[in-house]
């Protein structure tokens, strides 16, 4: 994505209002109390989903979101609030454990994410890496058996999708040269926090692409589509931790260029609707799109494999045997 294609996408592309119905379906949306997650959940409820689980770190904020969805759609009781804190592996495990008793699970939208500028550890990595990448894959692998079971029993495609970002284009990812990339990213004194969000979205993308490969090659039954979606530049509170000076200069630019959260959420609905052509793909503007040159390069493929090997060790420590879920 170069500057001109970015502005074309933001200013000229009209995203279709989702119309595909999700009747009878159970859908999980993480980070659904605000921003893109809230608007995606609202669309799912409007489009007749049976149960939309708002996976949120604050249940108070989640209840306010559920109320707003019920009021705007006229469908009370469809949005349910479940607690999930991606900075805690125990919280991810507890959430997944609760989800294992669902009758069915049709779609998981891994949407929650953070942008922070201070180095803080969450579990065994810097918090952006934990929330935007590692915990999302942990959650996904723990939910995969339910997605497979639903697919087999109801003879249908199920969908596991992630909210990625065009910012994966905006880093040369210096940590990629390290012997152990995840360990390198967890070193406080070396962390380049100004660009950490970009790196986290690149790491997330590489992990999702590898997961999609592994799901394609799995002999387990069930038809699970794995994708990652760029919602574009969207007017949300995601930059809430940036400085006052940043906001001073950023505000006019955002009001000219950014999509509304509702418009951005249409891209999440497109990904959630699935379709074989979306499996293993990076989606943007409601279609299959091209990742950065680095992601497509031989080096990118090697780094993707390396990251997955490192991640596998972490995941097996958290939940022994988890990789067998693939
Ligand atoms: N806005 C953009 O321009 C843009 C562009 C590309 C990609 N994205 C991606 O879109 C996704 C949604 O972001 P947004 O723009 O809608 O921002 P947002 O309004 O800040 O929403 C982020 C959501 O993630 C939740 N979250 C943060 N940390 C969490 C944790 N530890 N556990 C569980 N939930 C947590 C937040 O909960 P709280 O409200 O409790 O903090 C909130 O619900 C993110 O993955 C972001 O990287 C955004």
């Amino acid at each position: 994505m170069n500057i001109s294609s970015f502005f074309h996408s933001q200013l000229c592309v009209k995203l279709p209002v989702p119309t595909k119905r999700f009747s009878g379906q159970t859908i999980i949306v993480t980070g659904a109390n605000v921003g893109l997650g809230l608007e995606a959940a609202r669309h799912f409820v409007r489009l007749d989903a049976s149960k939309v689980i708002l996976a949120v770190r604050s249940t108070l904020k989640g209840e306010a979101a559920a109320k707003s969805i019920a009021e705007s759609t006229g469908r009370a009781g469809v949005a349910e609030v479940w607690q999930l804190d991606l900075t805690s592996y125990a919280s991810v495990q507890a959430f997944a454990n609760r989800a294992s008793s669902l009758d069915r699970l049709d779609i998981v939208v891994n949407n929650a994410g953070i942008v922070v500028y201070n180095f803080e550890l969450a579990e065994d990595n810097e918090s952006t890496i934990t929330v935007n990448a590692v915990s999302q894959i942990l959650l996904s692998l723990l939910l995969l058996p339910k997605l497979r079971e639903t697919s087999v029993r109801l003879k249908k495609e199920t969908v596991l999708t992630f909210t990625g970002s065009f910012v994966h284009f905006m880093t040369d990812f210096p940590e990629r040269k390290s012997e152990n990339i995840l360990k390198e990213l967890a070193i406080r004194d070396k962390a380049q926090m100004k660009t950490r969000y970009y790196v986290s979205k690149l790491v997330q993308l590489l992990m999702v692409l590898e997961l999609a490969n592994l799901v394609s090659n799995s002999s387990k039954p069930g038809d699970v589509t794995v994708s990652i979606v760029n919602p574009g530049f969207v007017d949300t509170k995601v930059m809430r931790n940036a400085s006052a000076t940043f906001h001073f200069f950023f505000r006019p630019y955002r009001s000219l260029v950014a999509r509304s959260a509702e418009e951005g959420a249409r891209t999440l609905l497109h990904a959630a609707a699935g379709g074989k052509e979306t499996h293993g793909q990076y989606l943007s503007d409601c279609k299959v799109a091209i990742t950065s040159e680095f992601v497509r390069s031989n080096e990118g493929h090697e780094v993707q494999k390396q990251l997955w090997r490192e991640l596998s060790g972490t995941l097996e420590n958290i939940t022994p045997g988890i990789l067998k879920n693939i």
Side-chain angles (χ1 to χ4, degrees):
M1 173 175 275
N2 55 31
I3 296 277
S4 74
S5 62
F6 171 77
F7 282 105
H8 174 79
S9 162
Q10 291 294 134
L11 301 174
C12 306
V13 172
K14 189 123 185 63
L15 300 170
V17 178
T19 53
K20 186 190 155 174
R21 298 183 76 73
F22 295 87
S23 308
Q25 300 197 20
T26 297
I27 300 167
I28 293 174
V29 184
T30 70
N33 56 292
V34 72
L36 286 160
L38 169 61
E39 296 311 323
R42 199 188 306 280
H43 274 302
F44 287 126
V45 174
R46 175 180 65 79
L47 291 165
D48 205 34
S50 280
K51 193 194 285 279
V52 178
I53 296 167
L54 312 182
V56 294
R57 60 176 160 179
S58 153
T59 51
L60 214 63
K61 290 184 192 171
E63 291 301 346
K67 187 164 175 275
S68 143
I69 291 172
E71 282 169 3
S72 62
T73 60
R75 298 190 70 218
V78 177
E80 262 183 35
V81 179
W82 290 22
Q83 214 272 335
L84 170 69
D85 183 351
L86 294 166
T87 61
S88 156
Y89 295 152
S91 173
V92 174
Q93 287 170 314
F95 181 93
N97 194 32
R98 187 174 175 191
S100 67
S101 62
L102 286 168
D103 279 350
R104 62 189 282 177
L105 179 58
D106 301 84
I107 299 166
V108 178
V109 183
N110 279 286
N111 166 76
I114 50 167
V115 184
V116 295
Y117 299 97
N118 293 329
F119 186 100
E120 235 177 78
L121 280 177
E123 300 289 2
D124 46 8
N125 216 309
E126 183 278 318
S127 63
T128 321
I129 300 299
T130 303
V131 172
N132 295 359
V134 177
S135 281
Q136 295 192 7
I137 304 288
L138 172 65
L139 178 65
S140 300
L141 293 199
L142 292 173
L143 295 176
L144 202 46
K146 184 54 76 175
L147 286 166
R148 286 194 184 284
E149 180 196 308
T150 304
S151 168
V152 171
R153 185 165 47 86
L154 302 177
K155 298 188 178 54
K156 72 182 289 275
E157 175 193 19
T158 55
V159 175
L160 175 61
T161 190
F162 297 77
T163 309
S165 178
F166 60 92
V167 301
H168 84 269
F169 281 85
M170 292 163 60
T171 173
D172 56 6
F173 193 16
E175 297 87 349
R176 74 186 191 281
K177 304 264 186 215
S178 312
E179 213 165 280
N180 189 314
I181 299 168
L182 289 180
K183 276 203 178 131
E184 185 78 9
L185 290 166
I187 301 174
R188 184 183 295 269
D189 295 343
K190 288 189 174 176
Q192 299 179 27
M193 293 306 293
K194 269 192 189 150
T195 53
R196 178 51 61 97
Y197 175 62
Y198 307 161
V199 168
S200 77
K201 285 296 184 183
L202 176 55
V203 167
Q204 176 205 33
L205 173 61
L206 294 170
M207 287 177 175
V208 172
L209 293 178
E210 190 56 22
L211 174 61
N213 279 344
L214 295 169
V215 167
S216 301
N217 295 328
S218 167
S219 56
K220 288 237 162 74
D223 175 13
V224 184
T225 292
V226 181
S227 67
I228 179 160
V229 54
N230 163 40
F233 172 35
V234 185
D235 188 2
T236 67
K237 298 274 186 290
V238 76
M239 301 303 291
R240 68 191 82 163
N241 294 312
S243 66
T245 321
F246 173 88
H247 281 293
F248 179 79
F249 289 107
F250 192 63
R251 202 170 294 126
Y253 165 66
R254 189 179 58 198
S255 64
L256 283 175
V257 178
R259 292 171 173 162
S260 70
E262 184 284 315
E263 285 169 312
R266 296 177 195 178
T267 65
L268 276 56
L269 270 280
H270 167 257
K276 276 300 103 196
E277 70 287 358
T278 66
H279 179 70
Q281 298 294 338
Y282 170 73
L283 309 171
S284 193
D285 289 343
C286 297
K287 51 184 198 273
V288 172
I290 292 180
T291 56
S292 72
E293 212 173 303
F294 169 71
V295 173
R296 287 176 284 126
S297 68
N298 287 340
E299 187 191 6
H301 293 148
E302 277 163 28
V303 170
Q304 178 175 316
K305 299 269 179 227
Q306 182 184 339
L307 271 172
W308 189 267
R309 276 194 303 278
E310 295 172 9
L311 176 69
S312 301
T314 305
L315 296 177
E316 282 291 331
N317 278 337
I318 304 166
T319 306
I322 189 172
L323 293 172
K324 294 197 189 96
N325 289 358
I326 302 173

